[in-house]
Amino acid sequence: MGRPGPLTLRELAAHPVSELRAVGPKLEASLAEVEIRNILDLLQHYPRRYHDRTKRAEIEELKAGDEATVFAEVKKIRGFRTRQGRAMVEAEVFDGSSYLRVVFFNQRWREKQLPEGTEAAFFGRVEYRRSRLQMTNPIVDILDRVGENTGAIVPVYPQSGKAEVFTWQLRKLVAACLQKTKPRGFAEPLDPQLLDDRGLVDRTRAYRGIHRPEAHDDHRRAAERLKFDEFVRMQVGLVARKRALEQEQTGIRHAVDGPLVESFHSGLPFALTGDQKRAIDEILRDLAASAPMHRLLQGDVGSGKTVVALSALLVAVQGGYQGALMAPTEVLAEQHYLTSRGLLEELSVASEATLVGERPVRVELMTNRTGAAERRRIADGLHAGEVDIVVGTHALIYGEVEFGRLGVAVVDEQHRFGVEQRALLRGMGEEPDVLVMTATPIPRTAAMLVYGDLDKSELREMPPGRTPVTTEVIGPSPMERTTAYERLRTEVEAGRQAYVVCPLVEGSARTEAKAATEELERLGAEELAGLRLGLLHGQLPAREKEAVMDAFRSGALDVLVATTVIEVGVDVPNATVMIVEDADRFGLSQLHQLRGRIGRGGGESWCFLFADPSTPEAEARMEAVAGSTDGFLLAERDLEIRGAGEVFGERQAGFSDLKLGRIPRDEPIVLEARAVAEHILDGDPTLSDHAQLREEVEDLLGDAVEFLFKS
Ligand code: ADP
Ligand code: MG
């Protein structure tokens, strides 16, 4: 038998941590709690920061007011209560030059964390107290149990006091791993030349450098390489998937030059924008081809996505197929239904069953609220191919209904519409075309990660007739608020209309509806007395909702007091004022969506955000919305403020694998990784010459990937 080659990630993952001598059952359980189960987990549990022993401050040289890191041993520690009853822990630490007093308030656990003899880094500001130098509530990183010998640069690991896994333990375990793996080293998925060209270190050096750096440059370069690995793996998977889909021949060749789409466009009360035309062209090209469409349609609120989506659905209908429009919530589905029905009212399709040879396009709505009899009727119609377009929630696709001939599906989504869901749409032998619409724009890099396997169409240009919106953040003072209500009244007197958006209420939709009802009564009695107010919330029956909307649309109501159900779909150009109560509790994109209801052509508009932000994040959000009305820009800001995990959900494909990589910060690396992925797959489409890379991509994407690399 030959000598075994370098260790692959798959091999590393196959060895449980319990194989390390230092890991007994108790530590094994603790490690499992922080998701470290095997050697690979351990190696990919990267340090959070590093301390440089060569840059430490000598206690002897500290002055009051300095901010410093000292490396010192705990000589004495005790916990007690102050005369005021506060829990206090006081320690004396010594670094060879002098003693320093370290004090913790309300951190009784420090006594247990820092027993005498512990060596730790203490970072904080030094002050002069009780005739001595003192550090109060410093950041503490435990470095050594006495006798452990670490290098000049000490890594500090994310640790969990609760799970009782400490940084010094992790450091020891990782050291043991690196020792054990040294003879074989780590398998290299990328060509040496490719690494060389980009100044990237090899993987063996990277794992060593990130855990045991000898100089600062070591961990920086290691992180750069490991980040590149993360993004390349992901991009290879996405590009491979995209190409595999493009090669499928199971799609429908739709008849794109038909009378239905033409009469739809010519019947619109406006001309399409350039971007709409381009997006529709791109979609029609996909629809005509035999590879199924997998396209993402992005556009800011109000950019006119609906018309584009309906064009795609009508292509299906004019060729005798059916279209489905799926929304993430019932309210959204209902709104899509109302809008679509309005826009499609006059259209007919050819039919042999009628004397005139045509019948109206039949659009149906199907949500959880649809009654049983109605459901059956629609399901039958879909099965028989008599329903042309069905609008519903995503539940539609979970096997509930059977389409006679589904041709195009439009998915309006908030989250990733996965490969699995897409597979469910597959009909008998023919695969419907899929257009994914996002309610809010996604920054370019993020789209490359989350939708890297889709083609993209963008609506950047807004339809004409948008009017500027002035956004103001209004604090809790009654005076300021009065200004907002006065502006509202002035506008109503001038014949305009307004929205008041009620706070999000924790709990059920019912409590939210109740709160909105109370707010309506309060406003009617106080600030907005004398105006014609209407109420809209998710608990109203569909018919009542429609009646309220109609009244508002026709101008019979001055003010619509509503929950976020107005977020999407409501379209009343005459509305020029919006007040959002408790605005700091809304997300950035949600506020932007809400604000999109005004500035629709009725004249200069005002959006007042009633807010009392209690966190820096909330404050940043308010500032961002007040500062811009560009949805693409706001999406970038949102990503910066909240991070990708929050915006897209940690579980989104791809993000779970990002341990070092972060967007938007690492945008240049993502772009580079994309180019590299394309280059590799150009030369080696099945990755037959890149077995190691292929294995890693397969492990990343799981079962869904099988079809990708078939030759
Ligand atoms: P989105 O879904 O992207 O937020 P909508 O499709 O709801 O936007 O369109 C917003 C409004 O703009 C609607 O009233 C729609 O009828 C109108 N609209 C769409 N395209 C145009 C256009 N080319 N010119 C003028 N108005 C348009
Ligand atoms: Mg819309």
Side-chain angles (χ1 to χ4, degrees):
M1 245 177 61
R3 219 180 122 80
L7 286 155
T8 65
L9 300 189
R10 191 180 279 180
E11 278 179 277
L12 292 168
H15 291 276
V17 280
S18 56
E19 285 181 16
L20 295 172
R21 205 174 327 134
V23 180
K26 184 163 173 292
L27 184 53
E28 187 184 1
S30 300
L31 288 169
E33 250 181 81
V34 288
E35 307 287 328
I36 300 176
R37 296 193 167 77
N38 57 55
I39 303 297
L40 182 63
D41 293 338
L42 192 56
L43 284 174
Q44 293 187 340
H45 190 76
Y46 301 120
R48 186 174 41 176
R49 57 175 172 264
Y50 300 85
H51 284 297
D52 188 346
R53 283 177 187 276
T54 62
K55 289 230 181 78
R56 69 178 161 204
E58 300 274 338
I59 293 176
E60 198 178 45
E61 286 161 10
L62 291 177
K63 304 182 301 299
D66 285 354
E67 200 177 59
T69 304
V70 302
F71 291 78
E73 185 186 334
V74 178
K75 289 293 189 188
K76 233 170 43 197
I77 188 160
R78 66 186 187 107
F80 54 92
R81 284 198 174 274
T82 66
R83 253 166 293 162
Q84 293 82 24
R86 291 173 86 190
M88 182 167 160
V89 172
E90 190 174 287
E92 289 295 337
V93 307
F94 180 71
D95 74 345
S97 76
S98 186
Y99 279 87
L100 176 71
R101 184 186 323 123
V102 176
V103 168
F104 301 96
F105 286 105
N106 296 323
Q107 302 178 24
R108 280 306 286 261
W109 51 276
R110 292 288 191 187
E111 205 181 341
K112 233 177 101 192
Q113 183 205 22
L114 299 167
E116 283 154 26
T118 312
E119 265 195 66
F122 300 87
F123 172 76
R125 192 173 296 285
V126 183
E127 48 188 3
Y128 201 72
R129 280 284 157 86
R130 288 183 283 149
S131 43
R132 293 260 320 271
L133 282 183
Q134 167 177 322
M135 223 183 234
T136 309
N137 290 344
I139 292 172
V140 181
D141 289 320
I142 298 181
L143 299 180
D144 295 312
R145 293 292 155 171
V146 173
E148 191 197 355
N149 190 15
T150 46
I153 296 175
V154 189
V156 175
Y157 289 90
Q159 52 184 350
S160 161
K162 198 168 122 269
E164 301 205 341
V165 182
F166 300 105
T167 192
W168 57 271
Q169 279 176 312
L170 289 163
R171 204 161 44 231
K172 259 164 89 170
L173 294 177
V174 170
C177 277
L178 290 173
Q179 193 58 41
K180 268 181 180 269
T181 52
K182 201 167 181 178
R184 287 177 65 188
F186 299 109
E188 181 54 70
L190 301 174
D191 300 336
Q193 189 61 51
L194 189 148
L195 295 174
D196 246 25
D197 291 348
R198 288 162 184 79
L200 294 168
V201 299
D202 64 42
R203 189 179 269 172
T204 303
R205 233 179 107 183
Y207 276 128
R208 175 158 293 275
I210 200 148
H211 291 293
R212 308 233 97 189
E214 276 154 26
H216 270 301
D217 208 37
D218 290 349
H219 66 75
R220 224 176 2 248
R221 298 191 64 188
E224 199 183 339
R225 164 62 208 264
L226 294 170
K227 240 189 266 181
F228 191 68
D229 269 12
E230 293 178 356
F231 287 123
V232 166
R233 267 200 291 279
M234 196 185 299
Q235 290 304 323
V236 168
L238 290 166
V239 173
R241 184 182 283 164
K242 182 162 183 293
R243 293 185 176 181
L245 291 170
E246 280 162 7
Q247 269 164 28
E248 277 185 20
Q249 298 298 317
T250 51
I252 303 160
R253 289 172 181 275
H254 288 276
V256 294
D257 306 309
L260 193 55
V261 178
E262 265 163 41
S263 55
F264 172 55
H265 289 165
S266 58
L268 288 172
F270 44 73
L272 296 172
T273 65
D275 279 359
Q276 282 173 321
K277 278 195 208 132
R278 186 168 330 110
I280 290 171
D281 280 349
E282 287 163 351
I283 290 167
L284 295 192
R285 214 174 312 134
D286 287 357
L287 291 177
S290 58
M293 171 168 75
H294 299 273
R295 184 171 286 277
L296 173 71
L297 175 64
Q298 290 214 71
D300 201 353
V301 50
S303 61
K305 294 186 287 290
T306 313
V307 170
V308 177
L310 288 177
S311 303
L313 295 173
L314 289 173
V315 169
V317 175
Q318 86 188 352
Y321 287 90
Q322 295 162 300
L325 174 52
M326 288 173 286
T329 67
E330 300 198 356
V331 173
L332 274 172
E334 281 166 21
Q335 270 148 8
H336 275 312
Y337 171 68
L338 291 178
T339 320
S340 312
R341 221 187 37 182
L343 284 164
L344 302 178
E345 218 157 32
E346 309 280 307
L347 294 179
S348 305
V349 281
S351 163
E352 286 160 12
T354 64
L355 285 177
V356 285
E358 55 175 41
R359 59 169 177 81
V361 171
R362 183 169 161 201
V363 186
E364 297 280 2
L365 171 70
M366 196 153 156
T367 70
N368 286 335
R369 262 178 267 187
T370 313
E374 174 80 350
R375 282 183 110 71
R376 204 163 321 116
R377 196 179 61 78
I378 300 172
D380 288 347
L382 281 169
H383 189 66
E386 288 157 5
V387 172
D388 299 306
I389 293 176
V390 63
V391 183
T393 48
H394 289 178
L396 256 185
I397 61 167
Y398 293 110
E400 188 179 349
V401 297
E402 235 176 85
F403 292 88
R405 294 183 85 190
L406 180 60
V408 174
V410 175
V411 186
D412 186 3
E413 66 162 15
Q414 282 161 343
H415 296 291
R416 184 76 166 87
F417 185 73
V419 184
E420 307 76 35
Q421 286 96 313
R422 210 170 283 153
L424 284 173
L425 282 174
R426 210 175 280 227
M428 305 153 194
E430 285 179 318
E431 189 169 348
D433 292 275
V434 177
L435 180 69
V436 175
M437 265 196 318
T438 61
T440 41
I442 301 168
R444 185 171 68 137
T445 338
M448 210 175 268
L449 297 188
V450 187
Y451 297 100
D453 52 349
L454 305 191
D455 292 304
K456 294 172 194 74
S457 295
E458 266 186 18
L459 306 182
R460 283 256 173 190
E461 177 188 358
M462 290 303 237
R466 302 286 301 181
T467 43
V469 179
T470 307
T471 304
E472 280 179 40
V473 182
I474 303 268
S477 94
M479 264 267 280
E480 273 185 273
R481 298 207 163 172
T482 306
T483 332
Y485 288 119
E486 266 166 16
R487 165 64 62 191
L488 188 154
R489 281 182 168 281
T490 313
E491 285 293 298
V492 168
E493 271 159 34
R496 309 289 191 202
Q497 291 165 285
Y499 299 102
V500 175
V501 182
C502 295
L504 291 168
V505 179
E506 301 282 334
S508 65
R510 185 165 306 145
T511 41
E512 196 158 286
K514 184 163 165 285
T517 311
E518 286 168 6
E519 184 60 8
L520 174 91
E521 283 161 11
R522 192 189 70 79
L523 287 169
E526 296 171 21
E527 285 93 345
L528 303 182
L531 303 186
R532 297 169 301 168
L533 309 184
L535 177 67
L536 190 68
H537 59 67
Q539 292 281 291
L540 295 175
R543 193 165 316 149
E544 226 169 293
K545 231 183 277 176
E546 238 174 290
V548 174
M549 279 313 305
D550 281 343
F552 190 63
R553 238 177 255 127
S554 70
L557 292 172
D558 301 317
V559 182
L560 194 60
V561 179
T563 57
T564 51
V565 296
I566 64 157
E567 191 177 328
V568 184
V570 175
D571 192 9
V572 178
N574 192 42
T576 54
V577 178
M578 173 174 284
I579 290 175
V580 184
E581 298 180 359
D582 279 355
D584 47 314
R585 296 177 62 179
F586 291 91
L588 207 163
S589 68
Q590 204 175 13
L591 287 172
H592 179 60
Q593 288 279 332
L594 284 168
R595 181 174 55 183
R597 302 303 111 203
I598 55 174
R600 294 196 157 218
E604 190 183 357
S605 299
W606 287 267
C607 177
F608 299 102
L609 305 175
F610 285 6
D612 190 9
S614 57
T615 63
E617 199 215 286
E619 209 163 306
R621 244 183 293 135
M622 295 305 105
E623 218 169 273
V625 185
S628 173
T629 52
D630 177 342
F632 280 86
L633 199 139
L634 288 173
E636 291 274 1
R637 277 297 285 145
D638 196 27
L639 199 56
E640 279 164 26
I641 296 171
R642 288 197 295 155
E646 279 287 312
V647 175
F648 298 104
E650 292 291 355
R651 304 203 154 273
Q652 294 285 336
F655 287 111
S656 56
D657 192 49
L658 291 184
K659 299 202 167 66
L660 292 168
R662 217 182 313 139
I663 52 166
R665 185 195 62 192
D666 294 326
E667 170 157 335
I669 308 180
V670 179
L671 297 175
E672 179 72 17
R674 179 78 176 190
V676 165
E678 283 172 349
H679 176 75
I680 292 175
L681 287 163
D682 282 347
D684 183 14
T686 59
L687 295 187
S688 48
D689 295 335
H690 292 81
Q692 182 53 33
L693 180 61
R694 176 177 160 153
E695 182 179 294
E696 289 174 18
V697 174
E698 281 174 355
D699 286 351
L700 168 67
L701 299 185
D703 300 341
V705 84
E706 264 166 51
F707 74 103
L708 291 190
F709 303 121
K710 268 188 266 165
S711 19

